[in-house]
Amino acid sequence: MNNSLASGLRRATPQLISLAVILFLNWLAFPGFFDLRIQDGRLFGSLIDVLNRGAPVMILAIGMTAVIASKGVDLSVGAVMAMAGAVAATMTVEGYPLMAVILTALAVGIACGLLNGFLVAVLDLQPIVATLILMVAGRGIAQLITEGVIVTFNDPGLIFFGTGSFLGLPMPIIIAALLAIAVILLMRRTALGLLIEAVGVNRSASSYAGINSKLLLIFVYTLSGFCAALAGIIAAADIRGADANNAGLWLELDAILAVVIGGTSLLGGRFSILMSVLGAIIIQAMNTGILISGFPPEYNLIVKAAVIIMILLAQSASFAGIGGLFVRAPSAAKKADAS
Amino acid sequence: MKFVTRLLIGTAFGVVLAGSASAAGLTVGFSQIGSESGWRAAETSVTKQQAEKRGIDLKFADAQQKQENQIKAIRGFIAQGVDAILVAPVVATGWETVLGEAKDADIPVILLDRGIDGSPDLYMTMVASDQVLEGKVAGEWLVKDAAGKDCNVVELQGTTGSSPAINRKKGFEEAIAGTSNIKITRSQTGDFTRAKGKEVMEGFLKAEGGGKNICALYAHNDDMAVGAIQAIKEAGLKPGTDIKVVSIDAVPDIFKAMADGEANATVELTPNMAGPAFDALEAFKKDGTVPPKQIITESKLYTPADEPMKVYEEKKGLGY
């Protein structure tokens, strides 16, 4: 047990160093970065902001990790967020009870995931194309649901999912943490995670070995749809309104990036949900840092790109050895390619 | 045979109907971009209201964000022989051919809300707001409200590089340039959205001593201000009192915030672009008065003194 913890930490070294460096830079830019205080019965501070704002991407990344491990990708999560938020807000305005609102919104996400899974597993469409369909159409459907306006609501039950707190922590953090624990247990205390990795490495071989790869693929896309709906509910609850045009816009890319920063290969196979969550935290720490750094906004994207390149380089250097990048040894070059 | 007769009678009846409708007043074609935002929807419904009020027969075409649809619609209007065409152009380029056709058919074209690249001969006039002025009106309100006291302003910019973001920033800076007490201490983009407005404001509040060093917030649109108001509340401060809130657009939700005392001022980007356009058109048709090439709409300032709840109810019906 101790051994596996140590090897896990060793694998996570580049990510942990990246996070530490980003947090240190944030602290340089803004000395009060690590200050925490209690405000209205909950913790309040920049660190909490990082976790709280990062929660939707963390939740998306949890589902995305499973999809990517199966050698797929789910581009529709941002649009599914918008749809789930639109459904939740519209139903709340029409006076449905909270339970019905949440269950319907989650059901929308599950239905979207089933559709994606059906297209990929049964019709054998390329995942990137199959989920692109819903990425485009989903936002349109969300706009139809909200009729092109921002649907605002004041129901304290739904708002609680975005801005409420439990044990001093904002609800989005609690939800993301609970979901991460549940999915990790599901993946690692059963054979499920191993089977998904097997399908990701070689689908036909795993089928011959007796794994029901169709069902597994449908499962991972459904999980991703469920996660997206959950993130959509949180995003809508946070601003007390469903903004079909902007909710979850481009977040699918952030989620994929979080998974990649976490070290899961886009080619499928071995995955780590905890590392993807860490990846999401790294991205948000960087975003929050940029916001409080006082740079003019014209530099936001450049700074972001530069930091991401550094993080990914740090990971690949730890693989190939920094020298390996410059030496034309066949093995090192091959490793650098692979990373 | 019977069928053909009936068809002929039907067609003749239709022609008579169409003839009588256009005799009642002007027929105007309106090619709208689409309904990508609440403001756009409001512009559409105000245009329809204005046409109805003046007895104008409005032919409406929604282009769903596509220029080719707009070109098709304009060609359709020309073929129908309308008296004038209103266009809210989705992009600035590529209008020479189709607007040239309208010109050859002697149909005046009026641009709404956005301009085009190309010869000004292609259109009669353009009705638009002055975005620099909007920022200036917001800034002037703050200068007056601060009344010489020191005031550190945080700014939520629109999407980086977009013309409203550039111009509204410029106008505000012009308004406060003459004062030494008002300073913009932080400025970041909130992408014109509520979610980003809230997130960026959370950052500002942390970076400025929990909000103690912030006297006012200037947001380039109301949606970002609404998001920021929530962030201010969650930080345990009172928006509108501890931190003044001034923004632009005048969408319904900001009036609700104003009624609750959480916002202080907003500058209207009026959805009534059609009113001045129809005024110019009617004058032109009556005695040939050629309007100026650009008609600037009013940038009206609203404060809690303007019965925000009443304005909210009025605006809510416009489809924002």
Side-chain angles (χ1 to χ4, degrees), chain B residues 14-34:
Chain B
V15 168
V16 171
L17 263 189
S20 69
S22 62
L26 295 171
T27 304
V28 175
F30 174 29
S31 171
Q32 174 64 292
I33 294 179

Side-chain angles (χ1 to χ4, degrees), chain B residues 29-87:
Chain B
F30 174 29
S31 171
Q32 174 64 292
I33 294 179
S35 50
E36 80 281 4
S37 66
W39 182 86
R40 189 66 62 193
E43 186 191 39
T44 303
S45 48
V46 171
T47 306
K48 287 178 177 164
Q49 279 174 11
Q50 286 284 339
E52 203 178 349
K53 209 169 78 186
R54 293 158 195 258
I56 291 174
D57 180 18
L58 190 76
K59 301 200 177 295
F60 178 74
D62 183 331
Q64 298 183 328
Q65 270 76 25
K66 289 203 176 80
Q67 187 179 26
E68 60 261 36
N69 289 347
Q70 289 205 298
I71 292 175
K72 255 186 257 167
I74 293 170
R75 292 218 165 106
F77 293 146
I78 297 172
Q80 292 169 40
V82 294
D83 297 304
I85 297 173
L86 305 185
V87 192

Side-chain angles (χ1 to χ4, degrees), chain A residues 79-323:
Chain A
V80 173
M81 274 181 76
M83 278 159 77
V87 167
T90 319
M91 285 182 68
T92 303
V93 169
E94 284 173 12
Y96 286 91
L98 180 66
M99 212 50 185
V101 169
I102 299 293
L103 289 180
T104 315
L106 291 177
V108 166
I110 290 173
C112 292
L114 281 173
L115 173 71
N116 284 333
F118 175 77
L119 293 178
V120 173
V122 180
L123 299 188
D124 265 331
L125 292 187
Q126 298 263 9
I128 206 166
V129 180
T131 55
L132 189 71
I133 297 170
L134 207 52
M135 174 187 175
V136 178
R139 201 161 285 286
I141 296 170
Q143 282 162 352
L144 279 179
I145 297 170
T146 61
E147 293 171 343
V149 303
I150 300 180
V151 178
T152 53
F153 51 85
N154 271 313
D155 176 64
L158 186 53
I159 291 170
F160 185 75
F161 281 86
T163 54
S165 64
F166 182 70
L167 299 176
L169 285 171
M171 271 318 273
I173 303 179
I174 304 274
I175 295 172
L178 287 179
L179 182 74
I181 293 169
V183 177
I184 290 173
L185 286 179
L186 181 68
M187 293 287 181
R188 295 304 177 198
R189 289 291 153 203
T190 68
L192 190 61
L194 187 69
L195 298 180
I196 291 171
E197 287 172 349
V199 171
V201 172
N202 191 330
R203 186 174 159 191
S204 46
S206 14
S207 293
Y208 287 132
I211 297 174
N212 190 342
S213 61
K214 279 198 171 69
L215 192 66
L216 277 173
L217 283 176
I218 292 177
F219 170 77
V220 291
Y221 285 94
T222 309
L223 175 66
S224 178
F226 171 82
C227 291
L230 199 55
I233 294 170
I234 290 174
D238 182 42
I239 59 165
R240 304 175 183 202
D243 184 348
N245 280 318
N246 298 305
L249 193 62
W250 310 128
L251 282 196
E252 56 277 347
L253 298 181
D254 274 12
I256 295 170
L257 182 63
V259 175
V260 170
I261 289 178
T264 300
S265 164
L266 286 176
L267 298 173
R270 194 152 85 159
F271 71 92
S272 164
I273 285 174
L274 200 58
M275 293 299 290
S276 297
V277 170
L278 185 60
I281 295 173
I282 290 175
I283 295 175
Q284 189 56 40
M286 174 180 69
N287 286 342
T288 304
I290 290 171
L291 290 183
I292 56 175
S293 66
F295 276 130
E298 286 80 2
Y299 293 100
N300 285 3
L301 297 175
I302 297 175
V303 173
K304 208 170 161 178
V307 174
I308 288 167
I309 291 173
M310 300 303 280
I311 295 171
L312 295 178
L313 271 183
Q315 287 181 24
S316 89
S318 78
F319 257 36
I322 297 194

Side-chain angles (χ1 to χ4, degrees), chain B residues 33 49 83 148 184 187 207 230 255 283 300 303 319:
Chain B
I33 294 179
Q49 279 174 11
D83 297 304
I184 296 179
S187 182
Q230 287 175 21
F255 288 99
K300 190 175 171 207
T303 63

Side-chain angles (χ1 to χ4, degrees), chain A residues 30 39 44-46 49 53 149-150 152 163 238-240 245-246 284 290-292 294-295 297-298 300, chain B residues 36 157 160 186-189 193-195 198-200 202-203 206-207 223 230 234-236 253 319-320:
Chain A
F30 168 49
Q39 171 73 49
F44 183 86
S46 293
D49 277 359
R53 291 286 144 226
V149 303
I150 300 180
T152 53
T163 54
D238 182 42
I239 59 165
R240 304 175 183 202
N245 280 318
N246 298 305
Q284 189 56 40
I290 290 171
L291 290 183
I292 56 175
F295 276 130
E298 286 80 2
N300 285 3
Chain B
E36 80 281 4
Q157 296 186 30
T160 310
R186 280 185 184 266
S187 182
Q188 245 305 335
T189 175
T193 66
R194 283 181 194 218
K198 184 173 181 186
E199 179 179 352
V200 175
E202 281 177 355
K206 307 291 179 329
D223 276 328
Q230 287 175 21
E234 282 165 26
D253 283 344
Y320 270 104

Side-chain angles (χ1 to χ4, degrees), chain A residues 29-108:
Chain A
F30 168 49
F33 187 78
F34 293 106
D35 291 356
L36 287 178
R37 63 185 164 93
I38 303 280
Q39 171 73 49
D40 298 336
R42 62 171 233 186
L43 283 166
F44 183 86
S46 293
L47 271 184
I48 298 296
D49 277 359
V50 169
L51 294 174
N52 193 21
R53 291 286 144 226
V57 174
M58 280 183 226
I59 292 171
L60 293 181
I62 291 170
M64 189 68 81
T65 309
V67 173
I68 287 179
S70 78
K71 207 176 180 175
V73 71
D74 187 352
L75 294 183
S76 70
V77 289
V80 173
M81 274 181 76
M83 278 159 77
V87 167
T90 319
M91 285 182 68
T92 303
V93 169
E94 284 173 12
Y96 286 91
L98 180 66
M99 212 50 185
V101 169
I102 299 293
L103 289 180
T104 315
L106 291 177
V108 166

